[in-house]
Amino acid sequence: MLNSLTGEALIMSNFEKFDLRDGTHIRFTKTGKGEPLVLLHTIRNRLEYFDLVIPYLKDNYTVYAIDLPGFGDSPVNKNTNYDQSFMTDVVIDFIEQNDLSNVTLAGESIGGVLPLTVANKISNRINKIFSFNPYDYDKKFGDGVRRGNLIARFIIWSMSLPILGNFFSMLESKIVLWLIFMGGVHNKSAITNRYLSILTSSIWKSGNLYHLRNVFLNFHSWTEAKKVYKNIKVPIKLIYGKYDWSNDIERNETMHLLGLNQYITLDNVGHFSFLEAPEKIAEIINKV
């Protein structure tokens, strides 16, 4: 539900746990009624990323919002390699073990790539895909994130350094996250103090430093995901914020690899579209 005073969604508390093969688990919430819709978030995010959009979706779908492995309040296993392949398998396990069928997959950034890699493996369970700002173009550590602003460029470059990168990653804080996230939106007011407080709540959890750098160090696995795009037969909607970090060449490459003739552009929206334009996102997903 929405807070009528602030316009922000209230934090959902009906968290459930799904056990992973590496001995950890991920949090998820289940809300609404109808065919299943699984929502997948961006790098350095968590299932609360969808708080603003779920109220607009829950009358048409049974909405599953999940923490991707190691993100949010879900625990980290320091022996796990958090690459695209591992996360794809986790989402597949979640769908299969919950016996979900006729599934709609929607996500942003790396969460925009996962619906495609998942559908490549279990197309029989997937009904349709909504890929928002897919993060499939990095040529180096945090390549896309660096494009947000000069501060993000410096912070992510510092994190990428051998040995010293661990030290700089330890400096992550509310102000650092604010500076990085501000480089991912067109409407700066979309990055609220409330949401930043939620994000920073996981900074000191066990294994967070390992997870943060490991995800970025696996940048190549997200770019290589494009190799399977041509195999996907599930209906796909590709959506970009006008001010997303990707450039026109990268967007057109993804569009053509997916066998599409066009993609949707969201005006006045950056990379974090679910925070900036939840009603627009819901309108796209709800449209039959």
Side-chain angles (χ1 to χ4, degrees):
M1 61 184 295
L2 295 178
N3 184 324
S4 60
L5 296 178
T6 67
E8 295 182 341
L10 299 177
I11 300 173
M12 292 177 290
S13 58
N14 57 326
F15 299 118
E16 299 182 53
K17 294 196 299 185
F18 176 75
D19 293 331
L20 306 187
R21 299 182 192 180
D22 70 350
T24 63
H25 66 266
I26 57 172
R27 297 183 309 154
F28 73 95
T29 59
K30 179 181 177 181
T31 311
K33 59 185 179 181
E35 299 290 351
L37 165 64
V38 178
L39 298 177
L40 306 166
H41 61 72
T42 78
I43 285 179
R44 193 50 184 94
N45 241 306
R46 52 197 289 143
L47 64 80
E48 286 87 354
Y49 185 65
F50 303 112
D51 276 5
L52 296 176
V53 74
I54 288 176
Y56 301 110
L57 299 171
K58 64 183 178 65
D59 289 336
N60 295 316
Y61 295 96
T62 300
V63 184
Y64 295 86
I66 71 174
D67 275 343
L68 291 178
F71 287 92
D73 289 337
S74 297
V76 174
N77 183 335
K78 292 183 180 180
N79 294 314
T80 295
N81 188 35
Y82 291 93
D83 63 358
Q84 174 269 126
S85 179
F86 176 74
M87 295 195 194
T88 295
D89 288 343
V90 166
V91 177
I92 290 173
D93 285 348
F94 181 85
I95 291 171
E96 292 184 334
Q97 292 183 37
N98 283 288
D99 197 23
L100 304 183
S101 59
N102 205 34
V103 178
T104 296
L105 293 173
E108 185 142 70
S109 190
I110 62 172
V113 175
L114 288 171
L116 304 169
T117 56
V118 168
N120 180 57
K121 291 187 173 184
I122 56 166
S123 61
N124 61 308
R125 288 184 178 266
I126 309 304
N127 181 39
K128 54 188 173 181
I129 289 170
F130 296 92
S131 176
F132 293 85
N133 295 322
Y135 194 82
D136 55 8
Y137 44 83
D138 270 7
K139 294 179 174 62
K140 57 187 175 184
F141 186 106
D143 189 10
V145 183
R146 297 189 199 201
R147 302 177 191 182
N149 52 38
L150 289 174
I151 299 298
R153 186 178 306 172
F154 174 74
I155 292 170
I156 300 301
W157 170 79
S158 300
M159 289 181 178
S160 73
L161 296 173
I163 304 176
L164 287 176
N166 281 325
F167 169 75
F168 285 110
S169 297
M170 289 174 62
L171 300 180
E172 186 182 49
S173 63
K174 191 172 184 177
I175 185 65
V176 167
L177 280 173
W178 177 73
L179 292 168
I180 292 175
F181 270 69
M182 289 294 276
V185 292
H186 181 66
N187 174 15
K188 307 305 181 186
S189 64
I191 308 303
T192 65
N193 182 64
R194 166 195 169 272
Y195 192 64
L196 286 169
S197 295
I198 293 172
L199 287 179
T200 54
S201 67
S202 61
I203 286 179
W204 302 111
K205 76 175 181 181
S206 177
N208 183 64
L209 175 60
Y210 166 81
H211 182 265
L212 175 65
R213 295 198 73 236
N214 184 263
V215 170
F216 276 119
L217 285 167
N218 278 297
F219 65 88
H220 55 84
S221 70
W222 301 97
T223 303
E224 290 176 358
K226 290 186 290 188
K227 293 178 180 178
V228 306
Y229 285 5
K230 66 180 184 297
N231 303 329
I232 301 167
K233 307 304 180 185
V234 175
I236 301 166
K237 291 290 185 183
L238 178 64
I239 308 99
Y240 287 100
K242 182 178 181 180
Y243 299 100
D244 178 51
W245 297 324
S246 58
N247 59 44
D248 288 341
I249 293 174
E250 292 159 345
R251 298 179 193 195
N252 286 327
E253 179 186 21
T254 292
M255 178 183 71
H256 291 307
L257 287 172
L258 291 171
L260 303 176
N261 295 318
Q262 63 181 354
Y263 57 81
I264 299 169
T265 300
L266 298 175
D267 292 333
N268 302 316
V269 173
H271 186 71
F272 300 113
S273 68
F274 281 72
L275 295 179
E276 285 196 90
E279 291 186 62
K280 290 182 181 179
I281 301 304
E283 182 179 354
I284 291 171
I285 296 174
N286 282 330
K287 189 174 181 179
V288 177

